[in-house]
Amino acid sequence: MTATTEARTRSGRLMLNKVPEVTIWFWVIKILCTTVGESFADWINMKLGVGLVNTAWIFTAVFVVVLAVQLRLKWYVPFPYWLTVVVVSVTGTLYTDILTDQLNVPLWISSAVFSVLLAAVFGVWWARERTLSIHSVTTLPRESFYWLAVLVTFALGTATGDWTLELTGWSPGASVLLPLGLIAAITALWKFGANPVLSFWLAYILTRPLGANIGDWLASPKVAQPGEPTGLDLGTFTTSLIFLGLILATVIYLTVTRSDVTETHEATHAAHTTGGRGPRKERVALAGFGLLAVATAGLLVWAHSQPHVGPAPEEDNTSAVQMAPGQAVKKFPPAEVAALKTLASTSLKDARSGNETGAHAAAQKLRDLWDADQASLQPLDQTGWTSIDAQMDKMLKTFGIDHSNPPMSPAQQEKELNALLTDMG
């Protein structure tokens, strides 16, 4: 689908269009970038043990750099443009994950907040420029609005996609079908006569949960605990490498052929005509969008009401090896164990005093430190590490950290923190 609204340039240095032509290649590479945003962020955060907040800081800095390079260009160049999209996909995903995992914000609230924020961005963009068409991104202000909107769409797509999984309990493979079906319906309405700008941005948002579900399906293990995602067991690193390779190959092709450069595309293709489009068809299509939204909401309500498996029960996460107090950490560096115990003690103290915010924050810092230390501690004693990790997970669940359940009672939190401190000696 394309967006061909013409509008005057109110201000700013006039450039060639900074956004690629919306061809099939645009949507293919956009979905590839979205999948990388999901798998690469998970790999750095979890597998490398960098931690969620640190990963977000790293990618925010990278985003600032690559965006500065992109904004300095006077025309669309495939490599810097799509590099920016890849970095934005990771960054937007991380911002939503911080709200969910660090600040314990429910996904429905995140979805509502990002929806309002995106509407505000579009409102200011329209009020200033009188167009939201990506075919008129020819000035610095318009490009700035464009990238801000893209960042928010990734955050919104992450929140709504995760919320859908939380409501339905669907597996990543099955979850691909909903955004794919919605994009197909939007494409049909666009061909009928729907507003091209509205159609483009709706489809753009939906590519985020589509790509993320594809990434989760490819990376998740073939066999998992009840309620945990299953997939093809490629792992986050392999999935990221495959899709980064596909992105690179596509960018090289587009760089050589210039087939997605707007000016080249217009010179080699017949001008797109609106045909039977008009205000009446746009109104009918708008009603179609409304019915589509109602039908989607009905489907989610129905799916939520159906029996589905929740997260695995706590006993499934316990270690099969029972170890004496302090035995699990005997081979670990004392300084690192002391740092872990300090955070656990702080969380326990705050939980006992009724400081819920402080207890949750300390537990979150404990999780981040444990993840960051995984690479150095696990090789020292696999059995000990597994034992502590199991108890760590039980403790985190009482705070609703890395689990979909709401925080449990302070008494349950104190129980699991005491157990963790006992295990660490």
Side-chain angles (χ1 to χ4, degrees):
M1 65 189 63
T2 61
T4 57
T5 303
E6 295 295 334
R8 60 192 175 92
T9 303
R10 294 186 58 188
S11 62
R13 173 172 54 89
L14 187 62
M15 306 173 288
L16 294 178
N17 197 39
K18 296 289 294 295
V19 177
E21 183 69 24
V22 184
T23 65
I24 185 63
W25 291 111
F26 179 94
W27 295 111
V28 167
I29 198 170
K30 170 62 167 63
I31 293 171
L32 292 174
C33 291
T34 301
T35 302
V36 167
E38 181 74 10
S39 59
F40 196 53
D42 287 345
W43 179 67
I44 292 178
N45 173 29
M46 298 179 184
K47 298 300 182 181
L48 294 187
V50 175
L52 186 57
V53 173
N54 290 335
T55 304
W57 277 115
I58 291 170
F59 274 94
T60 298
V62 174
F63 172 54
V64 171
V65 173
V66 297
L67 181 61
V69 173
Q70 168 64 24
L71 293 176
R72 287 179 64 85
L73 297 173
K74 294 182 175 63
W75 53 80
Y76 162 68
V77 180
F79 183 79
Y81 174 87
W82 288 112
L83 176 61
T84 307
V85 174
V86 169
V87 175
V88 169
S89 71
V90 179
T91 306
T93 298
L94 290 168
Y95 290 163
T96 298
D97 288 346
I98 286 175
L99 287 177
T100 304
D101 298 333
Q102 292 277 349
L103 303 180
N104 213 31
V105 176
L107 286 167
W108 71 268
I109 293 180
S110 298
S111 300
V113 169
F114 285 127
S115 296
V116 172
L117 183 58
L118 183 60
V121 172
F122 282 148
V124 176
W125 184 356
W126 172 263
R128 176 185 169 86
E129 303 295 335
R130 295 302 175 187
T131 180
L132 301 179
S133 171
I134 67 165
H135 283 163
S136 61
V137 182
T138 54
T139 66
L140 182 59
R142 288 183 182 181
E143 188 177 9
S144 300
F145 281 121
Y146 172 78
W147 286 113
L148 181 58
V150 168
L151 177 61
V152 179
T153 60
F154 273 108
L156 174 60
T158 301
T160 54
D162 290 351
W163 187 26
T164 298
L165 296 180
E166 183 181 90
L167 286 173
T168 62
W170 290 340
S171 67
S175 300
V176 167
L177 299 177
L178 179 58
L180 187 63
L182 290 174
I183 291 173
I186 290 170
T187 302
L189 288 169
W190 165 70
K191 286 184 174 294
F192 169 78
N195 182 281
V197 175
L198 176 61
S199 301
F200 169 82
W201 284 110
L202 288 175
Y204 199 94
I205 293 171
L206 287 168
T207 57
R208 171 56 183 76
L210 173 61
N213 291 336
I214 292 173
D216 283 341
W217 177 60
L218 292 173
S220 297
K222 293 180 180 179
V223 179
Q225 295 287 348
E228 296 298 320
T230 57
L232 298 185
D233 199 20
L234 295 182
T236 53
F237 180 70
T238 302
T239 300
S240 299
L241 278 185
I242 292 173
F243 278 78
L244 284 171
L246 291 173
I247 291 170
L248 181 60
T250 308
V251 168
I252 291 174
Y253 169 79
L254 295 175
T255 301
V256 173
T257 63
R258 294 178 57 83
S259 59
D260 66 335
V261 176
T262 299
E263 292 74 21
T264 301
H265 188 275
E266 291 176 349
T268 56
H269 292 72
H272 176 75
T273 59
T274 58
R277 293 182 189 273
R280 181 177 177 276
K281 281 196 170 184
E282 284 200 9
R283 287 194 293 269
V284 173
L286 190 61
F289 285 139
L291 290 174
L292 195 61
V294 171
T296 302
L299 174 63
L300 294 178
V301 170
W302 173 82
H304 181 60
S305 67
Q306 301 304 303
H308 54 268
V309 181
E314 287 184 12
E315 56 269 26
D316 290 342
N317 292 325
T318 59
S319 171
V321 180
Q322 300 297 322
M323 307 186 74
Q327 185 66 30
V329 299
K330 189 175 181 179
K331 297 181 182 179
F332 297 163
E336 295 185 28
V337 175
L340 293 168
K341 292 173 65 176
T342 297
L343 286 172
S345 298
T346 300
S347 183
L348 178 60
K349 178 181 177 181
D350 286 338
R352 286 173 173 169
S353 65
N355 183 1
E356 296 180 7
T357 302
H360 186 278
Q364 187 66 64
K365 291 179 181 178
L366 177 59
R367 192 285 303 267
D368 290 344
L369 180 59
W370 179 246
D371 287 348
D373 287 345
Q374 178 180 356
S376 61
L377 298 183
Q378 191 171 5
L380 298 177
D381 186 350
Q382 176 67 48
T383 301
W385 184 89
T386 301
S387 177
I388 295 297
D389 188 65
Q391 181 57 40
M392 185 77 68
D393 189 66
K394 292 176 68 175
M395 179 276 295
L396 292 173
K397 187 170 184 177
T398 65
F399 288 93
I401 298 172
D402 295 338
H403 293 272
S404 60
N405 60 277
M408 300 180 186
S409 68
Q412 290 172 299
Q413 294 170 356
E414 292 175 31
K415 175 186 174 183
E416 299 303 340
L417 282 166
N418 274 318
L420 179 61
L421 283 167
T422 299
D423 288 345
M424 289 192 292

